[in-house]
Amino acid sequence: MLITGAELADGRVRDVRIRDGTIESVATGLDAAAGERVVEARGRHILPGAIDVHVHFREPGGSHKETWRSGSESAAAGGVTCVVDQPNTSPPTVDGDAFDEKADLAAASLVDYGINGGVTGNWDPESLFQRPLFALGEVFLADSTGDMGIAPDLFEDALAEAAGRGVPVTVHAEDETLFDAAALDGDLGGAGTAATADAWSAYRTADAEIAAVERALDAAAGTGAQVHVAHTSTPEAIDAVVDARESGAAATCEVTPHHLFLSRENAGRLGTFGRMNPPLRSERRRTAAFERLRDGDVDVVATDHAPHTVAEKRQGLADAPSGVPGVETLYPLLLESVRNGELSMERVRDVVAANPASIFGLPSKGQIAEGADADLVLVDMADPREIEAGALHSACGWTPFEGLRGVFPELTVVRGSVVYERDPVTGAESFGDPVGRNVREA
């Protein structure tokens, strides 16, 4: 395949030739070979495929919410060419047998993937680390809403184990002892009201996140473990990671699109569909987090794609599960911010592709360079579209970003295979066959 006349993130216009799954050439004036497919890309941007290091594709145990096939279709249609699935499925990915079960299901994926192992009171690190594990994560520090929260001593054991094996640890940091139970009094029913959505934010306080991030960083400092803090929702937590890194720690952080583009001011529209962990923060904190993204303090933007059915989310606050879908709208929302002048194209490229590849040891991904995996996305920055749930591909059938605008891909390629294509004129879509592979087996 030859893609001609495309603009890179840095503004250079280049032709890109793909051969045998990798990028053979990035140059100008390349001529098509006999029988080679040519994609004329003048006026469009070519970007490295996004690496979403935080998704929940729900299989095994939750295929009514999402499957590897539906989740990877959603990823491909959004320009995500590699995902990292978290361990809190059913059964949780805490031993070798559970890992193997998930890996068999992941064979249906259109995009490349990594599988994170989990840490619970009955995890089996010996069998787990015998598999091509991507990382330990999402390791829950005292998460009161699930069954995977762990005590501080087990967390320190997991850090030491991971450090000894050179495996990163992704941490979900909230301290349940700092949750404000009074915020939920009398506000547990009535799905769809601003009060219920906002009460969840008041309940899971900002201080609970900040304290847990600081505790996780302190514990990691004693083991030398590489720690990646998931879905930081407060500027204070981001600053703590930056301070730790400047002091020599191997510490990084991610922020989600829902914490960058939504706040407690959206509670009325979202109702219980706005329940997620960590919760939405104040508009002031949202703006401050976005500023840190723009200024380079945020390492990664990842989605925490956590689909649930509409019926599940319509329950009252006590019963509605936490989480929102987002893998398909990651690149589109950030690219719309480029259109608006809020972010540079190079910054977006770095936080969704180059940085995740560097942090998690994927040297062949996250870049458009000779010899790299041909994971590519073609977009027309002059063609933003309104985000509509009915046009997305996740099995859950809804999005918290309804009505916002985004720049969606026309073409997504994984290691040279076209996994998604949309005709720019007719809008007709097509998906390729499963080509995903475990990136730790590559």
Side-chain angles (χ1 to χ4, degrees):
M1 179 186 295
L2 179 62
I3 302 173
T4 62
E7 185 173 342
L8 303 177
D10 61 11
R12 293 176 297 151
V13 175
R14 292 291 186 270
D15 304 333
V16 178
R17 169 165 280 129
I18 300 167
R19 194 182 304 278
D20 297 328
T22 62
I23 297 172
E24 182 180 84
S25 303
V26 182
T28 56
L30 296 178
D31 294 323
E36 184 175 38
R37 179 182 177 183
V38 177
V39 177
E40 169 55 59
R42 279 182 293 183
R44 292 169 171 80
H45 280 79
I46 190 167
L47 300 166
I51 303 168
D52 189 347
V53 298
H54 193 148
V55 305
H56 301 266
F57 276 1
R58 301 301 186 200
E59 282 191 319
S63 57
H64 65 290
K65 304 171 189 279
E66 193 79 284
T67 65
W68 276 93
R69 175 69 192 200
S70 66
S72 66
E73 284 189 356
S74 192
V80 173
T81 56
C82 183
V83 298
V84 179
D85 194 66
Q86 301 301 332
N88 60 330
T89 42
S90 181
T93 315
V94 295
D95 57 35
D97 289 344
F99 183 100
D100 293 344
E101 181 180 358
K102 180 175 287 187
D104 286 345
L105 291 164
S109 180
L110 297 181
V111 303
D112 284 348
Y113 57 87
I115 296 175
N116 275 355
V119 180
T120 65
N122 62 346
W123 74 311
D124 183 358
E126 198 56 44
S127 69
L128 197 56
F129 281 109
Q130 290 175 7
R131 270 63 179 179
L133 198 65
F134 191 82
L136 284 185
E138 179 181 3
V139 178
F140 288 79
L141 265 174
D143 175 17
S144 69
T145 63
D147 58 2
M148 297 191 69
I150 60 174
D153 57 343
L154 183 55
F155 177 61
E156 292 169 6
D157 289 345
L159 287 172
E161 185 82 35
R165 298 176 183 264
V167 172
V169 180
T170 298
V171 181
H172 178 136
E174 290 184 279
D175 183 346
E176 66 178 344
T177 67
L178 297 177
F179 293 170
D180 182 9
L184 299 182
D185 287 351
D187 213 357
L188 296 178
T193 66
T196 57
D198 200 53
W200 196 251
S201 295
Y203 165 57
R204 297 180 82 105
T205 65
D207 286 345
E209 174 182 274
I210 297 163
V213 168
E214 291 173 346
R215 180 155 55 87
L217 294 170
D218 287 344
T223 64
Q226 178 186 341
V227 169
H228 179 71
V229 181
H231 45 48
T232 47
S233 64
T234 64
E236 296 91 340
I238 298 168
D239 292 345
V241 173
V242 172
D243 290 345
R245 185 164 59 242
E246 291 178 348
S247 297
T252 53
C253 68
E254 71 188 42
V255 177
T256 71
H258 48 271
H259 290 123
L260 290 169
F261 295 100
L262 303 172
S263 72
R264 293 176 73 169
E265 292 189 4
N266 300 105
R269 174 176 68 85
L270 292 170
T272 51
F273 286 79
R275 172 179 156 165
M276 74 279 291
N277 304 327
L280 296 176
R281 303 299 184 191
S282 67
E283 180 65 14
R284 177 185 65 82
R285 280 196 162 98
R286 184 203 69 80
T287 300
F290 197 99
E291 290 171 349
R292 283 157 175 77
L293 168 64
R294 180 198 63 203
D295 295 342
D297 291 336
V298 173
D299 302 286
V300 171
V301 179
T303 64
D304 192 10
H305 174 79
H308 301 283
T309 67
V310 170
E312 289 169 334
K313 293 295 281 187
R314 278 181 175 159
Q315 300 176 92
L317 186 64
D319 299 314
S322 291
V324 298
V327 70
E328 191 168 341
T329 46
L330 168 63
Y331 241 148
L333 286 166
L334 292 172
L335 290 175
E336 180 64 11
S337 290
V338 174
R339 280 177 39 83
N340 293 337
E342 298 169 315
L343 295 172
S344 71
M345 183 77 78
E346 291 170 289
R347 183 75 185 121
V348 171
R349 173 203 63 196
D350 289 349
V351 295
V352 303
N355 290 356
S358 175
I359 291 166
F360 289 98
L362 301 173
S364 66
K365 295 191 176 294
Q367 58 184 313
I368 298 178
E370 293 178 5
D373 284 354
D375 298 342
L376 301 168
V377 179
L378 194 65
V379 298
D380 183 354
M381 292 296 290
D383 184 28
R385 297 174 177 231
E386 185 172 301
I387 296 173
E388 301 176 79
L392 302 179
H393 301 84
S394 171
C396 72
W398 65 278
T399 171
F401 305 111
E402 188 81 35
L404 276 64
R405 295 179 72 78
V407 179
F408 287 85
E410 292 180 0
L411 183 74
T412 302
V413 178
V414 175
R415 288 178 289 105
S417 294
V418 175
V419 294
Y420 172 77
E421 190 164 12
R422 172 173 57 85
D423 187 299
V425 177
T426 67
E429 298 176 301
S430 62
F431 290 96
D433 296 324
V435 298
R437 65 179 178 184
N438 188 328
V439 292
R440 288 294 186 242
E441 292 179 317

